[in-house]
Amino acid sequence: MAEQQGGAPHQEEAAAKPNIIPGVKHVVAISSGKGGVGKSTVSVNLAVALALTGAKVGLLDADIYGPNIPMMMGVEKTPEQKDGKIAPAESHGVKLISMGFFVPEDTAVVWRGPMVHTAIQQLFRDVLWGELDYLLIDLPPGTGDAQLTLTQLVSLSGAVTVTTPQEVALHDVRKGMMMFQKVNVPLLGIVENMSFFLCGHCGERTEIFSHGGGERAAEKLGIPFLGRVPIDPAIRAGGDTGNPIVVAKPDSPQAQAFREIAAKLAAALQTGEAGAAKSRIASLLDKIKRPATGN
């Protein structure tokens, strides 16, 4: 079967999509090629960091099978209904919604693709998002039903991929980027999470998961490298307690890393760098298809 190429048909489809969230300026997918890289942690801290700048921010937890955003944002109360729709919860200046509010904690979600599609659609259509500068979508890992549903429902301003530094991450990033490229979604950049560890006693830096995988992936794919986030117990504690590090320890180097990445993301969206990345699609496809090498 011939491979479908990105281009005009996708642009026409995007233009034809009904705007189901008319008050939202920028919709950004936060993705990862595999699980365990801290994508939800990055999503939460970027959302709060953007809100701290005075922006109106929403966070949609599209990980139907493993919704962690309510716990990581410190919200336990189920959102209320208003005029037949759902008023999103609010925490740390961010509006948020998640299947985690509606499914008991000890209940597994065992759904096929069509049910996942319907659930994500309702999280857009049936939630009173109001006016937002940014709506971040915390996607499940990989390139499955949730990712395809998202690209069918809304016109994304772009996608950010979260990875860890080891060389194997390059392979996973390439797969995820190719998926977004195929549906003509601009590639906003790569975040390298768990980049290194700084000893709290001696200050020695240890690169637990090797060094520079995310930056090399960004360079190879021709997309921006947004920054590094160190691995640190305080970041983990912030997620467990619902108090993200950007508010729990705002002066820490870890919080500063998230704020800098958020600033780069906002600047790219405001200045149109996402559109520039979109215009390089043919070149990106060529690079993505090349075998990964150490060069």
Side-chain angles (χ1 to χ4, degrees):
M1 182 181 294
E3 183 176 349
Q4 185 179 8
Q5 299 290 330
H10 291 301
Q11 294 171 354
E12 291 172 4
E13 289 171 11
K17 291 176 186 173
N19 190 352
I20 59 176
I21 42 173
V24 179
K25 293 180 182 177
H26 299 291
V27 184
V28 179
I30 310 295
S31 67
S32 66
K34 61 187 295 185
V37 300
K39 171 187 51 58
S40 293
T41 297
V42 171
S43 298
V44 162
N45 280 281
L46 288 185
V48 178
L50 288 169
L52 289 172
T53 68
K56 297 177 181 177
V57 183
L59 178 59
L60 190 156
D61 186 357
D63 194 344
I64 302 299
Y65 300 110
N68 296 317
I69 295 301
M71 179 184 74
M72 299 179 79
M73 290 290 282
V75 181
E76 298 180 357
K77 185 180 178 182
T78 302
E80 298 178 354
Q81 289 194 11
K82 183 179 180 181
D83 299 328
K85 293 201 172 186
I86 302 169
E90 293 195 37
S91 180
H92 306 295
V94 176
K95 293 181 178 180
L96 60 129
I97 200 70
S98 168
M99 278 298 295
F101 289 125
F102 310 108
V103 178
E105 186 177 344
D106 57 352
T107 300
V109 176
V110 186
W111 288 351
R112 294 186 184 274
M115 293 183 70
V116 172
H117 176 92
T118 299
I120 294 176
Q121 185 178 55
Q122 289 181 309
L123 294 180
F124 281 108
R125 292 185 184 275
D126 296 344
V127 174
L128 298 169
W129 289 110
E131 300 290 327
L132 294 177
D133 296 303
Y134 308 99
L135 177 60
L136 303 190
I137 315 297
D138 181 42
L139 286 168
T143 55
D145 293 313
Q147 287 80 356
L148 184 58
T149 290
L150 179 62
T151 60
Q152 291 171 339
L153 286 176
V154 296
S155 296
L156 291 169
S157 301
V160 172
T161 290
V162 180
T163 186
T164 44
Q166 58 265 57
E167 282 296 329
V168 70
L170 177 59
H171 181 66
D172 296 309
V173 167
R174 287 171 66 233
K175 290 190 295 184
M177 293 290 95
M178 178 171 249
M179 186 275 295
F180 283 115
Q181 185 274 330
K182 278 177 177 281
V183 292
N184 216 20
V185 173
L187 310 178
L188 296 171
I190 292 175
V191 175
E192 185 180 274
N193 194 31
M194 308 182 200
S195 187
F196 56 87
F197 173 72
L198 285 178
C199 177
H201 301 290
C202 67
E204 181 181 357
R205 175 170 170 155
T206 302
E207 290 166 341
I208 299 173
F209 301 112
S210 187
H211 173 73
E215 191 166 12
R216 285 191 293 274
E219 182 179 359
K220 193 167 190 67
L221 298 175
I223 61 178
F225 179 68
L226 298 176
R228 297 182 176 87
V229 179
I231 185 170
D232 190 274
I235 298 177
R236 186 274 309 159
D240 287 348
T241 61
N243 204 23
I245 195 167
V246 292
V247 290
K249 295 187 176 182
D251 297 326
S252 67
Q254 297 86 347
Q256 180 63 26
F258 282 118
R259 287 198 301 272
E260 289 176 358
I261 293 169
K264 289 180 181 179
L265 177 60
L269 291 167
Q270 296 297 330
T271 60
E273 287 182 18
K278 190 172 182 178
S279 70
R280 298 195 299 268
I281 261 180
S283 174
L284 276 172
L285 178 59
D286 180 60
K287 290 181 179 180
I288 289 172
K289 287 183 175 180
R290 292 175 193 167
T293 67
N295 296 332

